[in-house]
Amino acid sequence: MNGLQLIATGGALPGRTVTNEELSRTVDTSDEWITTRTGIRARHWCTEEESAATLAIAAAKQALERSGLSPQDIACCVCATLSAPDATPSVACQVQRALSLPENRPALDVNAACSGFIYGTAVARGLMATLGGRYALVVGCEALSRLMDQTDRSTCVLFGDGAGAAIFELCDAPFAITLGARGDEAIHAGGPCCTGSATISMDGRAVFRFAVDALPRCLHAVLDETQLALDDVDWVVCHQANSRIIDHCVKALHADAAKFYKNMDRHGNTSAASIPVALNEMAEAGLLKAGQKVSCIGFGGGLTWGGMLVTYSPLSHG
């Protein structure tokens, strides 16, 4: 069994919702300026009591409950984040403790920024291939509001907080994954994140050029590996950075825009959380149906990219 299928999702959003209109009171911007350039209308920021870890735990608990599995069934826990509240214990270890996952199973964080969820899934697959097991818990979680300069309108309007979790089953279903990196500081978070002294900076033009190259490249890579065409894929779930990036690629691919799920209008850019948050939203809304094939595409800070093609098979363990 070399592939993975998605059997359950979970999600968590922090308690504070910040609209474009609210931001326009503190920085030189407007709802029109933000919406026309990014597609973002609102985002969620953590309250004082919330963090990437608390959101990850909530999302993971929901995914585990929905899967029908017990904690003993989980072979590994991988959390993708660039905004962990502590250097150690990792967010994954905090999830392991909160969910009472077995102590003889690996739990670790990965940081591949906006591609983190794809990287985390690849790591989980590798851990099961090496150590055994059938089910993996992968979480993408961020508290980017803790890393932002709230006076920098080029970044504070873009980013939000949240967490999404997924449980994957090792199986023989169609599956493909591709990863890559090009070391660059077009998106940069400097300083130690766990102390809250990091600040995010971004070269928007460079990121756009990178994204519109990486997105179709990843999509073609996973389609080629599975010998599928885009018409065979039910959904494409991209990192939710900017609606213009996705729209540009849809046009270049001559694709059906309805296949490309977008939710950045409600959440902004949540980095490693954006893809699993979207998957959870789709599952909860009944958009994601059993047997559907989903391509997930990540791109962003680092610069990193990753693509995955996976089948949604809820409660397939029975």
Side-chain angles (χ1 to χ4, degrees), residues 58-69:
K61 283 182 176 178
Q62 189 174 67
L64 183 62
E65 180 179 339
R66 289 173 174 173
S67 73
L69 300 173

Side-chain angles (χ1 to χ4, degrees), residues 17 85-86 104 116 200 202 206 248-249 260 291:
T17 300
D86 308 291
N104 62 342
I200 299 172
M202 185 174 70
H248 182 281
C249 291
F260 287 71

Side-chain angles (χ1 to χ4, degrees), residues 58-240:
K61 283 182 176 178
Q62 189 174 67
L64 183 62
E65 180 179 339
R66 289 173 174 173
S67 73
L69 300 173
S70 75
Q72 299 297 320
D73 294 317
I74 303 302
C76 59
C77 174
V78 181
C79 290
T81 186
L82 63 85
S83 53
D86 308 291
T88 189
S90 67
V91 173
C93 282
Q94 295 180 57
V95 170
Q96 178 271 333
R97 179 179 58 194
L99 272 63
S100 299
L101 302 181
E103 293 184 4
N104 62 342
R105 316 287 166 80
L108 74 156
D109 289 357
V110 298
N111 177 1
C114 305
S115 305
F117 181 72
I118 309 297
Y119 270 70
T121 302
V123 169
R125 182 188 181 208
L127 288 170
M128 288 193 292
T130 302
L131 301 173
R134 185 175 174 184
Y135 302 102
L137 171 61
V138 182
V139 182
C141 55
E142 300 289 10
L144 300 178
S145 62
R146 301 277 165 78
L147 309 182
M148 291 188 301
D149 177 353
Q150 302 288 350
T151 65
D152 178 9
R153 76 167 187 170
S154 67
T155 56
C156 74
V157 303
L158 301 177
F159 296 104
D161 305 339
I167 293 182
F168 293 98
E169 179 183 13
L170 196 63
C171 66
D172 286 325
F175 179 80
I177 200 160
T178 183
L179 302 172
R182 181 198 307 162
D184 196 295
E185 292 190 352
I187 301 178
H188 178 69
C193 293
C194 62
T195 66
S197 61
T199 54
I200 299 172
S201 63
M202 185 174 70
D203 181 341
R205 292 177 185 271
V207 171
F208 185 92
R209 290 193 300 269
F210 166 73
V212 298
D213 170 65
L215 194 162
R217 182 147 43 97
C218 288
L219 183 57
H220 286 308
V222 295
L223 290 175
D224 290 347
E225 187 173 338
T226 54
Q227 298 184 328
L228 295 173
L230 185 54
D231 287 343
D232 300 317
V233 176
D234 297 286
W235 291 101
V236 180
V237 181
C238 302
H239 166 51
Q240 304 290 301

